Amino acid sequence: MKHFFLASILAGALALPAYAADYTIIAPANPGGGWDQTARSLQTVMQQEGISGNVQVQNVPGAGGTIGLAQFASQQKGNPNALLVGGYVMVGAILTNNSPVTLKDVTPIARLTGEYEAIVVPAASEIKSMADLVAALKKDPGAVSWAGGSAGGTDHIAVGLIAKAAGVDPTKINYIAYSGGGEALAAILGSQVTAGISGYGEFESQVKAGTLRLLAVSSAERLPSIDAPTLKESGVDVVVENWRMVAAAPGLTDEQKAAVSADIEKLAKSAGWQEVLKTKGWQDTYLAGDAFNAQLSKDVSATETVLKDIGLVK
Protein backbone atom coordinates (compact mmCIF):
# COMPACT_ATOMS: atom_id res chain seq x y z
CA MET A 1 0.00 0.00 0.00
CA LYS A 2 2.89 2.33 0.92
CA HIS A 3 4.59 1.71 -2.43
CA PHE A 4 1.31 2.24 -4.25
CA PHE A 5 0.81 5.56 -2.43
CA LEU A 6 4.31 6.78 -3.32
CA ALA A 7 3.88 5.68 -6.94
CA SER A 8 0.58 7.59 -7.12
CA ILE A 9 2.22 10.77 -5.85
CA LEU A 10 5.06 10.38 -8.35
CA ALA A 11 2.66 9.78 -11.23
CA GLY A 12 0.63 12.82 -10.20
CA ALA A 13 3.77 14.96 -10.07
CA LEU A 14 4.83 13.79 -13.51
CA ALA A 15 1.40 14.65 -14.90
CA LEU A 16 1.75 18.29 -13.87
CA PRO A 17 2.92 20.81 -16.52
CA ALA A 18 6.72 21.07 -16.66
CA TYR A 19 7.00 24.83 -16.19
CA ALA A 20 10.23 26.68 -16.63
CA ALA A 21 11.32 29.02 -13.87
CA ASP A 22 9.01 31.83 -12.83
CA TYR A 23 9.83 35.20 -14.40
CA THR A 24 9.71 38.84 -13.36
CA ILE A 25 9.49 41.23 -16.30
CA ILE A 26 10.60 44.84 -15.89
CA ALA A 27 8.62 47.33 -18.00
CA PRO A 28 10.81 50.49 -17.85
CA ALA A 29 7.88 52.90 -18.27
CA ASN A 30 4.55 53.86 -16.74
CA PRO A 31 1.47 51.65 -17.24
CA GLY A 32 -0.39 52.11 -20.53
CA GLY A 33 2.48 52.59 -22.95
CA GLY A 34 4.01 50.24 -25.50
CA TRP A 35 6.59 48.65 -23.20
CA ASP A 36 3.98 48.06 -20.52
CA GLN A 37 1.63 46.52 -23.10
CA THR A 38 4.45 44.32 -24.38
CA ALA A 39 5.43 43.17 -20.88
CA ARG A 40 1.83 42.34 -19.93
CA SER A 41 1.29 40.53 -23.23
CA LEU A 42 4.41 38.46 -22.50
CA GLN A 43 3.04 37.76 -19.02
CA THR A 44 -0.31 36.56 -20.34
CA VAL A 45 1.03 34.38 -23.15
CA MET A 46 3.86 32.80 -21.14
CA GLN A 47 1.31 31.67 -18.54
CA GLN A 48 -1.33 30.62 -21.07
CA GLU A 49 1.15 28.62 -23.13
CA GLY A 50 2.62 26.88 -20.09
CA ILE A 51 6.06 28.44 -20.60
CA SER A 52 6.05 29.74 -17.03
CA GLY A 53 3.68 29.09 -14.16
CA ASN A 54 3.99 32.57 -12.67
CA VAL A 55 5.04 35.81 -14.37
CA GLN A 56 5.08 39.18 -12.61
CA VAL A 57 5.40 42.62 -14.24
CA GLN A 58 7.05 45.58 -12.50
CA ASN A 59 6.99 49.16 -13.83
CA VAL A 60 10.16 51.21 -13.38
CA PRO A 61 9.53 54.43 -15.36
CA GLY A 62 11.80 57.33 -16.24
CA ALA A 63 14.32 58.77 -18.70
CA GLY A 64 13.25 56.76 -21.73
CA GLY A 65 13.75 53.45 -19.98
CA THR A 66 17.30 54.17 -18.84
CA ILE A 67 16.35 54.23 -15.14
CA GLY A 68 14.79 50.78 -15.42
CA LEU A 69 17.76 49.61 -17.50
CA ALA A 70 20.28 50.79 -14.90
CA GLN A 71 18.30 49.26 -12.03
CA PHE A 72 17.93 45.98 -13.93
CA ALA A 73 21.64 45.78 -14.78
CA SER A 74 22.76 46.46 -11.20
CA GLN A 75 20.16 44.50 -9.23
CA GLN A 76 19.52 41.43 -11.38
CA LYS A 77 23.06 40.34 -12.27
CA GLY A 78 23.19 36.56 -12.64
CA ASN A 79 19.41 36.16 -12.17
CA PRO A 80 18.04 33.93 -14.95
CA ASN A 81 14.43 34.66 -13.90
CA ALA A 82 14.51 38.40 -14.68
CA LEU A 83 13.60 39.92 -18.05
CA LEU A 84 13.60 43.49 -19.35
CA VAL A 85 11.47 44.90 -22.16
CA GLY A 86 13.21 47.53 -24.29
CA GLY A 87 13.65 48.64 -27.87
CA TYR A 88 14.31 51.44 -30.31
CA VAL A 89 13.15 54.10 -27.84
CA MET A 90 15.71 52.92 -25.29
CA VAL A 91 18.51 53.05 -27.87
CA GLY A 92 17.76 56.75 -28.45
CA ALA A 93 17.31 57.50 -24.76
CA ILE A 94 20.68 55.96 -23.88
CA LEU A 95 22.32 58.34 -26.36
CA THR A 96 20.38 61.50 -25.48
CA ASN A 97 20.67 60.94 -21.72
CA ASN A 98 24.36 60.02 -22.09
CA SER A 99 23.51 56.98 -19.97
CA PRO A 100 26.49 55.23 -18.36
CA VAL A 101 24.51 51.96 -18.61
CA THR A 102 23.82 50.68 -22.14
CA LEU A 103 22.37 47.56 -23.74
CA LYS A 104 25.89 46.12 -23.59
CA ASP A 105 25.35 45.87 -19.82
CA VAL A 106 22.46 43.38 -20.18
CA THR A 107 21.93 40.23 -22.26
CA PRO A 108 19.80 40.96 -25.35
CA ILE A 109 17.73 37.88 -26.20
CA ALA A 110 15.45 38.71 -29.12
CA ARG A 111 13.64 41.39 -31.07
CA LEU A 112 9.94 40.57 -30.84
CA THR A 113 7.76 43.17 -32.53
CA GLY A 114 7.71 46.10 -34.89
CA GLU A 115 5.16 48.91 -34.97
CA TYR A 116 4.74 51.89 -37.24
CA GLU A 117 4.22 55.40 -35.96
CA ALA A 118 0.80 57.05 -36.21
CA ILE A 119 0.23 60.82 -36.32
CA VAL A 120 -3.06 61.96 -34.79
CA VAL A 121 -4.91 65.14 -33.84
CA PRO A 122 -8.01 65.62 -31.67
CA ALA A 123 -11.24 65.04 -33.62
CA ALA A 124 -12.19 68.71 -33.18
CA SER A 125 -8.87 69.98 -34.60
CA GLU A 126 -8.87 72.30 -37.60
CA ILE A 127 -6.06 70.16 -39.01
CA LYS A 128 -7.72 67.69 -41.36
CA SER A 129 -4.70 66.14 -43.12
CA MET A 130 -0.96 65.65 -42.95
CA ALA A 131 -0.64 68.44 -45.52
CA ASP A 132 -2.39 70.81 -43.09
CA LEU A 133 -0.02 69.80 -40.28
CA VAL A 134 3.06 70.25 -42.48
CA ALA A 135 1.80 73.68 -43.59
CA ALA A 136 1.43 74.75 -39.95
CA LEU A 137 4.88 73.36 -39.18
CA LYS A 138 6.44 75.34 -42.03
CA LYS A 139 4.66 78.51 -40.97
CA ASP A 140 5.83 78.39 -37.35
CA PRO A 141 7.60 75.22 -36.11
CA GLY A 142 7.42 76.27 -32.47
CA ALA A 143 3.65 76.83 -32.61
CA VAL A 144 3.05 73.18 -33.48
CA SER A 145 3.37 71.10 -30.31
CA TRP A 146 3.80 67.34 -30.50
CA ALA A 147 3.01 64.88 -27.70
CA GLY A 148 5.03 61.69 -27.75
CA GLY A 149 7.20 59.35 -25.74
CA SER A 150 10.57 59.96 -24.19
CA ALA A 151 13.11 62.43 -25.57
CA GLY A 152 15.28 60.81 -28.20
CA GLY A 153 12.89 57.89 -28.68
CA THR A 154 11.13 56.71 -31.83
CA ASP A 155 8.40 59.35 -31.62
CA HIS A 156 10.91 62.17 -31.22
CA ILE A 157 13.09 60.83 -34.04
CA ALA A 158 10.05 60.54 -36.32
CA VAL A 159 9.01 64.17 -35.67
CA GLY A 160 12.56 65.32 -36.39
CA LEU A 161 12.60 63.37 -39.65
CA ILE A 162 9.18 64.77 -40.62
CA ALA A 163 10.43 68.31 -40.02
CA LYS A 164 13.62 67.64 -41.99
CA ALA A 165 11.67 66.14 -44.91
CA ALA A 166 9.37 69.18 -44.89
CA GLY A 167 12.33 71.56 -45.09
CA VAL A 168 11.98 72.71 -41.48
CA ASP A 169 14.95 72.96 -39.10
CA PRO A 170 14.43 69.86 -36.87
CA THR A 171 16.09 71.60 -33.93
CA LYS A 172 13.15 74.04 -33.86
CA ILE A 173 10.41 71.45 -33.27
CA ASN A 174 8.26 71.80 -30.15
CA TYR A 175 8.29 68.23 -28.86
CA ILE A 176 6.79 67.43 -25.45
CA ALA A 177 8.02 64.13 -24.02
CA TYR A 178 5.79 61.99 -21.79
CA SER A 179 7.06 58.99 -19.84
CA GLY A 180 3.83 57.04 -20.29
CA GLY A 181 1.43 56.52 -23.17
CA GLY A 182 -1.54 57.28 -20.93
CA GLU A 183 -0.25 60.76 -20.09
CA ALA A 184 0.46 61.61 -23.72
CA LEU A 185 -2.98 60.38 -24.78
CA ALA A 186 -4.68 62.54 -22.14
CA ALA A 187 -2.79 65.61 -23.41
CA ILE A 188 -3.83 64.91 -27.01
CA LEU A 189 -7.48 64.22 -26.16
CA GLY A 190 -7.54 67.36 -24.01
CA SER A 191 -6.23 69.48 -26.93
CA GLN A 192 -3.24 70.53 -24.84
CA VAL A 193 -1.04 69.84 -27.87
CA THR A 194 -1.41 70.25 -31.63
CA ALA A 195 -0.72 66.63 -32.53
CA GLY A 196 0.32 63.30 -31.09
CA ILE A 197 2.68 60.62 -32.32
CA SER A 198 3.11 57.05 -31.12
CA GLY A 199 2.63 53.46 -32.21
CA TYR A 200 -0.76 52.94 -33.83
CA GLY A 201 -1.80 50.45 -31.17
CA GLU A 202 -1.80 53.15 -28.51
CA PHE A 203 -4.31 55.24 -30.49
CA GLU A 204 -6.42 52.55 -32.14
CA SER A 205 -9.40 52.52 -29.78
CA GLN A 206 -9.68 56.33 -29.78
CA VAL A 207 -9.37 56.48 -33.58
CA LYS A 208 -12.13 53.88 -33.94
CA ALA A 209 -14.26 55.73 -31.38
CA GLY A 210 -13.90 58.95 -33.37
CA THR A 211 -12.21 60.99 -30.63
CA LEU A 212 -8.91 61.15 -32.54
CA ARG A 213 -8.30 61.80 -36.25
CA LEU A 214 -5.58 59.63 -37.80
CA LEU A 215 -3.57 61.67 -40.33
CA ALA A 216 -0.90 59.22 -41.47
CA VAL A 217 1.24 56.21 -40.56
CA SER A 218 4.99 55.81 -41.02
CA SER A 219 5.00 52.55 -43.01
CA ALA A 220 6.53 52.28 -46.47
CA GLU A 221 3.22 51.06 -47.92
CA ARG A 222 -0.40 51.30 -46.81
CA LEU A 223 -1.33 48.85 -44.08
CA PRO A 224 -4.40 46.78 -44.98
CA SER A 225 -5.77 46.96 -41.44
CA ILE A 226 -5.45 50.76 -41.08
CA ASP A 227 -7.50 53.29 -43.03
CA ALA A 228 -4.91 56.05 -43.39
CA PRO A 229 -2.30 57.18 -45.92
CA THR A 230 1.42 56.74 -45.37
CA LEU A 231 3.63 59.74 -44.72
CA LYS A 232 5.18 59.16 -48.16
CA GLU A 233 1.73 59.31 -49.79
CA SER A 234 1.19 62.58 -47.93
CA GLY A 235 4.31 64.10 -49.47
CA VAL A 236 6.61 63.50 -46.49
CA ASP A 237 9.38 61.08 -47.43
CA VAL A 238 9.80 59.33 -44.08
CA VAL A 239 9.54 55.67 -43.07
CA VAL A 240 10.02 54.74 -39.40
CA GLU A 241 9.39 51.44 -37.63
CA ASN A 242 9.62 51.14 -33.87
CA TRP A 243 10.72 47.76 -32.53
CA ARG A 244 10.65 46.11 -29.14
CA MET A 245 12.93 43.51 -27.65
CA VAL A 246 13.41 41.44 -24.55
CA ALA A 247 16.69 41.17 -22.66
CA ALA A 248 17.91 38.98 -19.83
CA ALA A 249 20.11 39.95 -16.91
CA PRO A 250 23.89 40.34 -17.23
CA GLY A 251 26.23 37.64 -15.97
CA LEU A 252 24.24 34.57 -17.02
CA THR A 253 25.93 31.28 -17.79
CA ASP A 254 25.69 29.91 -21.33
CA GLU A 255 23.20 27.32 -20.07
CA GLN A 256 21.00 29.98 -18.40
CA LYS A 257 21.04 32.18 -21.49
CA ALA A 258 20.13 29.18 -23.68
CA ALA A 259 17.20 28.34 -21.38
CA VAL A 260 15.83 31.89 -21.48
CA SER A 261 16.31 32.04 -25.26
CA ALA A 262 14.41 28.76 -25.65
CA ASP A 263 11.49 30.10 -23.60
CA ILE A 264 11.33 33.31 -25.64
CA GLU A 265 11.50 31.36 -28.92
CA LYS A 266 8.65 29.15 -27.69
CA LEU A 267 6.64 32.27 -26.88
CA ALA A 268 7.36 33.95 -30.23
CA LYS A 269 6.21 30.89 -32.17
CA SER A 270 3.12 30.20 -30.07
CA ALA A 271 -0.44 30.61 -31.29
CA GLY A 272 -1.16 32.84 -28.30
CA TRP A 273 1.59 35.31 -29.25
CA GLN A 274 0.52 35.36 -32.89
CA GLU A 275 -2.97 36.28 -31.73
CA VAL A 276 -1.56 39.12 -29.60
CA LEU A 277 0.34 40.49 -32.62
CA LYS A 278 -2.85 40.42 -34.68
CA THR A 279 -4.96 42.05 -31.96
CA LYS A 280 -2.41 44.79 -31.19
CA GLY A 281 -1.50 45.49 -34.81
CA TRP A 282 2.16 44.69 -34.12
CA GLN A 283 4.42 43.31 -36.86
CA ASP A 284 6.19 40.01 -36.18
CA THR A 285 9.90 40.94 -36.36
CA TYR A 286 11.28 38.07 -34.28
CA LEU A 287 15.06 37.93 -34.53
CA ALA A 288 17.36 36.20 -32.03
CA GLY A 289 20.91 35.13 -31.35
CA ASP A 290 23.93 36.47 -33.23
CA ALA A 291 21.70 37.87 -36.01
CA PHE A 292 19.86 40.05 -33.49
CA ASN A 293 23.08 41.24 -31.84
CA ALA A 294 24.48 42.25 -35.24
CA GLN A 295 21.27 44.11 -36.14
CA LEU A 296 21.24 45.82 -32.74
CA SER A 297 24.74 47.20 -33.34
CA LYS A 298 23.63 48.59 -36.71
CA ASP A 299 20.52 50.16 -35.17
CA VAL A 300 22.54 51.86 -32.42
CA SER A 301 24.91 53.36 -35.00
CA ALA A 302 22.09 54.52 -37.31
CA THR A 303 20.16 56.05 -34.40
CA GLU A 304 23.19 58.03 -33.28
CA THR A 305 23.47 59.49 -36.79
CA VAL A 306 19.77 60.51 -36.85
CA LEU A 307 19.94 62.06 -33.37
CA LYS A 308 22.95 64.14 -34.41
CA ASP A 309 21.04 65.30 -37.49
CA ILE A 310 18.13 66.57 -35.41
CA GLY A 311 20.37 68.15 -32.78
CA LEU A 312 19.70 65.82 -29.86
CA VAL A 313 23.19 64.36 -29.69
CA LYS A 314 26.40 66.30 -30.28
Side-chain angles (χ1 to χ4, degrees):
M1 190 70 184
K2 181 180 176 184
H3 292 301
F4 174 77
F5 181 67
L6 289 172
S8 298
I9 292 175
L10 182 60
L14 291 173
L16 291 172
Y19 288 125
D22 294 343
Y23 283 106
T24 296
I25 304 174
I26 303 301
N30 286 322
W35 285 339
D36 181 65
Q37 288 183 39
T38 302
R40 293 183 193 282
S41 296
L42 287 169
Q43 176 188 39
T44 299
V45 176
M46 289 178 93
Q47 292 177 159
Q48 283 179 349
E49 297 287 337
I51 296 167
S52 177
N54 181 35
V55 181
Q56 300 298 319
V57 173
Q58 294 178 5
N59 293 88
V60 185
T66 56
I67 291 175
L69 172 68
Q71 189 181 109
F72 182 80
S74 65
Q75 295 181 4
Q76 302 299 334
K77 188 172 182 180
N79 181 3
N81 308 121
L83 297 173
L84 173 77
V85 170
Y88 191 21
V89 172
M90 188 178 281
V91 170
I94 288 167
L95 293 165
T96 53
N97 288 296
N98 199 21
S99 173
V101 180
T102 73
L103 291 175
K104 291 179 180 178
D105 297 302
V106 296
T107 307
I109 296 295
R111 186 182 68 195
L112 292 174
T113 68
E115 186 177 25
Y116 294 110
E117 295 287 283
I119 295 90
V120 300
V121 292
S125 173
E126 294 179 358
I127 294 170
K128 308 294 184 188
S129 66
M130 197 65 206
D132 290 345
L133 185 59
V134 168
L137 190 64
K138 285 181 174 180
K139 184 179 178 182
D140 186 352
V144 176
S145 52
W146 304 76
S150 305
T154 319
D155 304 339
H156 200 167
I157 287 171
V159 174
L161 292 173
I162 288 168
K164 193 174 178 183
V168 173
D169 182 352
T171 63
K172 302 241 188 298
I173 58 174
N174 180 8
Y175 183 83
I176 303 167
Y178 291 87
S179 60
E183 295 171 17
L185 183 60
I188 302 160
L189 289 169
S191 297
Q192 296 166 27
V193 292
T194 309
I197 184 165
S198 188
Y200 174 73
E202 294 190 40
F203 296 140
E204 184 177 28
S205 59
Q206 286 76 24
V207 169
K208 289 184 174 177
T211 53
L212 289 179
R213 179 181 300 126
L214 178 59
L215 302 182
V217 292
S218 67
S219 53
E221 298 174 353
R222 276 210 183 209
L223 300 175
S225 58
I226 300 175
D227 183 21
T230 65
L231 285 169
K232 293 185 84 169
E233 280 182 87
S234 307
V236 182
D237 191 11
V238 171
V239 175
V240 177
E241 184 178 19
N242 187 12
W243 51 263
R244 299 191 184 107
M245 58 167 272
V246 63
L252 299 189
T253 65
D254 289 344
E255 291 79 11
Q256 288 171 329
K257 182 181 176 182
V260 175
S261 297
D263 281 348
I264 296 302
E265 183 177 8
K266 201 182 296 180
L267 167 120
K269 294 181 177 178
S270 70
W273 184 250
Q274 293 303 314
E275 185 59 32
V276 165
L277 296 177
K278 186 178 173 183
T279 303
K280 297 282 189 183
W282 295 341
Q283 311 300 311
D284 187 352
T285 63
Y286 177 71
L287 187 67
D290 291 342
F292 174 51
N293 284 319
Q295 184 59 50
L296 187 57
S297 294
K298 289 180 184 176
D299 288 341
V300 170
S301 178
T303 303
E304 186 169 11
T305 299
V306 172
L307 291 173
K308 284 179 178 176
D309 282 349
I310 62 178
L312 289 173
V313 172
K314 293 182 179 178

